[in-house]
Amino acid sequence: MANIFLITDRDSVVKKYEKLCLENSHIFSNSADISIIEDMLNSENYDLVLIDNKIKFSSAISVIKKIKSIKDNIIIILLIEKDIFDKDISKNINGFITEDFDEDLILTTLNINLRMRNSLQKLSDTNKDLADSLYRLNTLYNTSSQFAGTLDKEKLIDYMIEGLDKSLSFSLTCTLSFCNYNEPVLILNSLYEISDELMNAIKLRTVLNYKSLFEGKNIPYNIDENSLKVIKYVKYPANRFNFTLFQFDNMFAPIALGENFYGCIEIFKEKHFTSEDAKCFQTIAQQVSLPLKSATLYQEIIETNKKLEKLEKLKSEFISIVSHELRTPLTSIKNSIDILLSGRCGENSQSAEKFLSMAKQNVSRLSGIINDLLDISKIEAGKMDFHFKPVNIHSVVDYVKSALSGLAKEKNIEILVNETADLPEIMADSQRLEQVLTNLLSNAIKFTPDGKKITISTEFKNTSQIQYHPCFFDDMKKLSGDYIIVSVEDEGIGIAENELLHVFDKFAQIENSLSRKVGGSGLGLPIAKQLLEAHKGAIWCDSELNKGSKFHFALPIASSAVKENLISIS
């Protein structure tokens, strides 16, 4: 059945085509008034228009063009006396019927054009559906890209709603969010204004929808409609929704990923949602869940880091305060022991001498630990002073060897020096370098059994010649150019390969019986590492359990660029 409109002012033509259309179950209407014709075309969807070429109220071509201006895709058939007519007309019509056509031929012509119209309509619908699908896919892609580009939870919710608006053109979205504010919040994005009564109904509906997701389970957050905070965005405030909103088509989905729940969303639309709309809605609601999880984890990491930084600062301040407070009484104790040992307070018995010497030794050890604590606090706070100047590494090695030779003799340990002659100068703070080498050499003496030997060596190397264990890659990759390498090799207890990575951690010590006997603060190597980093150098080690260790540190040759850089630090 088709809807056919005839334009003619001849009664005979009206009767002929009305009879023909009604007999074939078509809807028929006609007019010969141009204003009525316009109204009818605007108010009705006609499948086909027949125009009499002999109309008197206007020219056929004028009527055809008027019809085309109102509905460009309508099928137009021209009724003519013979198959000869103006070429300008032929460009604007789909076919013609002459007066000598019999009824069968007329019906055939009408049916052919109606089938053609249906085919064109299907093609148009298919193209529209394809265009809609492409647009929706593009919207989904852009929304996904926006999701991937931020770890801001508030923006992620905004992008989700923006994507739904572009792809579905909703009337209202009600998003219950638990992730972008300090409390649960209902975010309303509405086409029109919402009254207070309707707002209360929406809040109650949202709470009930939320609770329905957890029937028989623990609810993540307890909320009620009276205390629920609302954030509202209205596109056209001049208009207002009423309770007929609840008669609109709607869809609902949780925003969740596994056990992680971030909220839920309900969307209303005056027109019905299609199955494609439902797929798009569910896809966007699911897509936002993963970046919300990432954003939540990222936020937790930031907050944890802030807490750790605060604790680290408090710890450093505590260590600094305690160390300073310990120094004063420790100095008094040391002076008192020295006075007693000097005999100025009377002669000491052999036992008293023994215990006083033991006390002096432990006071010195405690002083060393306190100095290490103060040094590490200064370094971490950026308050360590450096005085860079040209330094010959040989003088540093000679000084440290001489200073610790007495300690080595007590254990019958021989300190050997194997230096490369005429090494170039380095830009360094000689006191800090002596501290680094003293730490390494004193450690070697502590962890080397009696009667063994320790070797200090120096050499010139390019970074391409330096070999090291892969666990030190991150530190060593920063080096570039020529360096002086200082090494301290012992025949001590050694370090297991799986412990190498932690050698320079604060308070770390090798876990075996000898390390427990010798004790120490566990800060010597971390201090050495940070002092060398301040010199634009690096430290690393090679070791094998029960076969000794070899610690190396690299210092850059004093080129002009290095000099300027280090002098600016000092």
Side-chain angles (χ1 to χ4, degrees):
M1 183 176 69
N3 194 354
I4 297 174
F5 183 36
L6 172 64
I7 299 173
T8 182
D9 45 17
R10 290 192 293 164
D11 291 339
S12 59
V13 175
V14 172
K15 289 178 181 178
K16 176 182 177 181
Y17 280 91
E18 183 177 18
K19 176 177 175 295
L20 189 64
C21 288
L22 295 177
E23 286 176 353
N24 289 276
S25 302
H26 295 311
I27 299 170
F28 177 82
S29 54
N30 75 285
S31 178
D33 186 315
I34 191 64
S35 60
I36 294 175
I37 291 169
E38 288 183 26
D39 291 340
M40 292 179 73
L41 287 169
N42 283 315
S43 60
E44 285 283 340
N45 289 320
Y46 292 105
D47 298 307
L48 191 146
V49 175
L50 299 171
I51 300 176
D52 187 357
N53 195 37
K54 291 184 176 181
I55 54 175
K56 297 174 182 177
F57 62 87
S58 179
S59 66
I61 187 62
S62 298
V63 174
I64 290 169
K65 288 182 177 180
K66 174 62 73 173
I67 293 170
K68 288 285 187 181
S69 68
I70 298 171
K71 290 190 176 180
D72 183 53
N73 61 343
I74 200 164
I75 299 292
I76 297 175
I77 304 293
L78 189 65
L79 306 181
I80 58 175
E81 187 176 3
K82 296 180 180 179
D83 58 353
I84 300 172
F85 48 88
D86 191 276
K87 289 183 179 179
D88 192 27
I89 291 180
S90 67
K91 296 176 184 177
N92 292 280
I93 62 173
N94 300 92
F96 63 89
I97 296 174
T98 63
E99 291 186 0
D100 58 357
F101 277 20
D102 59 25
E103 287 188 3
D104 289 339
L105 190 53
I106 291 172
L107 282 173
T108 300
T109 304
L110 294 178
N111 289 333
I112 288 172
N113 281 277
L114 286 170
R115 284 197 296 272
M116 181 177 69
R117 182 191 181 281
N118 290 335
S119 297
L120 289 173
Q121 187 61 47
K122 287 180 181 178
L123 181 61
S124 176
D125 291 343
T126 302
N127 287 339
K128 185 179 180 300
D129 290 342
L130 181 59
D132 288 345
S133 296
L134 289 173
Y135 173 77
R136 190 162 287 167
L137 284 172
N138 187 53
T139 300
L140 288 172
Y141 173 77
N142 290 334
T143 304
S144 298
S145 299
Q146 287 179 310
F147 287 160
T150 184
L151 288 169
D152 185 321
K153 289 183 280 187
E154 189 173 344
K155 283 186 178 179
L156 287 169
I157 295 295
D158 289 343
Y159 290 152
M160 176 190 71
I161 295 168
E162 183 183 332
L164 290 173
D165 189 20
K166 287 180 178 177
S167 55
L168 302 177
S169 301
F170 57 75
S171 300
L172 171 71
T173 61
C174 308
T175 308
L176 182 61
S177 173
F178 295 95
C179 56
N180 55 332
Y181 295 92
N182 295 326
E183 58 183 327
V185 61
L186 177 60
I187 306 169
L188 299 180
N189 287 264
S190 179
L191 202 60
Y192 304 136
E193 186 56 81
I194 299 169
S195 67
D196 292 340
E197 294 80 6
L198 182 57
M199 176 72 75
N200 291 332
I202 289 171
K203 288 166 68 176
L204 177 60
R205 181 188 179 98
T206 301
V207 172
L208 292 174
N209 280 338
Y210 161 64
K211 290 182 177 179
S212 70
L213 293 170
F214 299 95
E215 283 188 34
K217 300 178 183 177
N218 292 327
I219 298 178
Y221 307 92
N222 286 315
I223 59 171
D224 63 79
E225 64 276 11
N226 297 318
S227 59
L228 182 60
K229 180 181 177 181
V230 176
I231 296 175
K232 183 175 64 173
Y233 302 98
V234 179
K235 190 174 284 188
Y236 304 114
N239 296 325
R240 183 179 290 264
F241 277 129
N242 55 39
F243 278 85
T244 57
L245 173 74
F246 294 128
Q247 297 174 8
F248 289 4
D249 202 2
N250 72 297
M251 293 188 289
F252 175 81
I255 304 170
L257 185 66
E259 296 298 317
N260 301 288
F261 184 80
Y262 305 106
C264 52
I265 180 168
E266 186 171 22
I267 181 170
F268 294 87
K269 188 176 180 180
E270 191 167 3
K271 294 181 180 179
H272 285 295
F273 290 114
T274 65
S275 59
E276 291 299 316
D277 291 338
K279 287 179 185 176
C280 181
F281 173 67
Q282 293 292 340
T283 299
I284 292 178
Q286 289 169 8
Q287 276 186 337
V288 75
S289 301
L290 182 58
L292 278 173
K293 181 179 180 180
S294 300
T296 302
L297 292 174
Y298 177 69
Q299 188 63 38
E300 289 174 0
I301 290 169
I302 289 175
E303 290 173 2
T304 302
N305 283 340
K306 285 179 180 177
K307 290 178 183 177
L308 290 173
E309 286 172 5
K310 187 176 180 181
L311 287 172
E312 187 71 19
K313 185 179 179 182
L314 288 171
K315 185 205 71 179
S316 296
E317 290 175 355
F318 172 77
I319 290 173
S320 180
I321 292 168
V322 170
S323 300
H324 279 294
E325 290 298 318
L326 286 174
R327 255 186 169 179
T328 303
L330 201 60
T331 302
S332 298
I333 294 169
K334 183 178 181 298
N335 291 337
S336 299
I337 292 172
D338 287 340
I339 291 170
L340 289 172
L341 284 171
S342 69
R344 280 181 280 175
C345 294
E347 189 176 348
N348 299 310
S349 66
Q350 190 173 354
S351 295
E353 287 280 341
K354 178 182 176 183
F355 286 116
L356 286 171
S357 296
M358 189 183 301
K360 181 179 180 181
Q361 183 179 353
N362 280 288
V363 166
S364 297
R365 181 170 165 235
L366 186 55
S367 295
I369 292 172
I370 290 171
N371 288 333
D372 283 348
L373 287 169
L374 286 171
D375 280 347
I376 201 74
S377 295
K378 285 180 182 178
I379 291 169
E380 289 178 347
K383 295 179 180 178
M384 178 68 80
D385 294 326
F386 292 95
H387 303 284
F388 292 100
K389 59 182 180 180
V391 172
N392 189 308
I393 196 65
H394 301 300
S395 62
V396 174
V397 173
D398 290 344
Y399 172 82
V400 174
K401 180 192 173 187
S402 299
L404 295 179
S405 58
L407 184 63
K409 277 183 181 179
E410 291 176 9
K411 295 183 68 176
N412 195 27
I413 293 173
E414 184 182 5
I415 300 177
L416 304 175
V417 176
N418 181 18
E419 294 191 85
T420 301
D422 302 322
L423 287 173
E425 289 184 332
I426 53 175
M427 284 298 294
D429 182 325
S430 58
Q431 185 180 348
R432 300 303 176 194
L433 281 192
E434 289 164 5
Q435 186 178 353
V436 170
L437 190 54
T438 298
N439 273 330
L440 295 182
L441 188 54
S442 61
N443 272 353
I445 293 169
K446 280 195 293 185
F447 293 109
T448 298
D450 295 2
K452 298 289 185 176
K453 66 177 185 292
I454 297 169
T455 304
I456 304 172
S457 59
T458 59
E459 56 187 329
F460 178 93
K461 278 188 178 181
N462 184 271
T463 47
S464 60
Q465 300 171 301
I466 299 174
Q467 295 182 344
Y468 52 86
H469 192 278
C471 70
F472 298 110
F473 174 77
D474 287 340
D475 294 318
M476 301 301 291
K477 69 181 181 181
K478 301 171 187 174
L479 303 186
S480 177
D482 296 325
Y483 289 80
I484 288 176
I485 312 296
V486 181
S487 304
V488 177
E489 183 177 9
D490 63 50
E491 297 178 344
I493 60 175
I495 305 167
E497 185 176 7
N498 62 343
E499 293 285 342
L500 285 178
L501 184 63
H502 305 292
V503 165
F504 299 102
D505 292 348
K506 285 186 290 185
F507 306 107
Q509 284 195 342
I510 305 161
E511 284 299 324
N512 61 33
S513 59
L514 181 55
S515 69
R516 286 192 290 272
K517 285 180 185 176
V518 299
S521 68
L523 292 172
L525 291 176
I527 289 171
K529 180 180 179 181
Q530 296 199 46
L531 291 176
L532 287 165
E533 286 177 351
H535 284 75
K536 305 301 177 186
I539 186 169
W540 68 102
C541 70
D542 304 312
S543 187
E544 191 175 344
L545 200 60
N546 300 319
K547 290 188 179 180
S549 303
K550 191 171 184 178
F551 282 80
H552 318 265
F553 62 89
L555 295 161
I557 301 302
S559 64
S560 301
V562 171
K563 284 181 181 179
E564 289 176 10
N565 198 0
L566 291 175
I567 288 171
S568 65
I569 294 173
S570 64

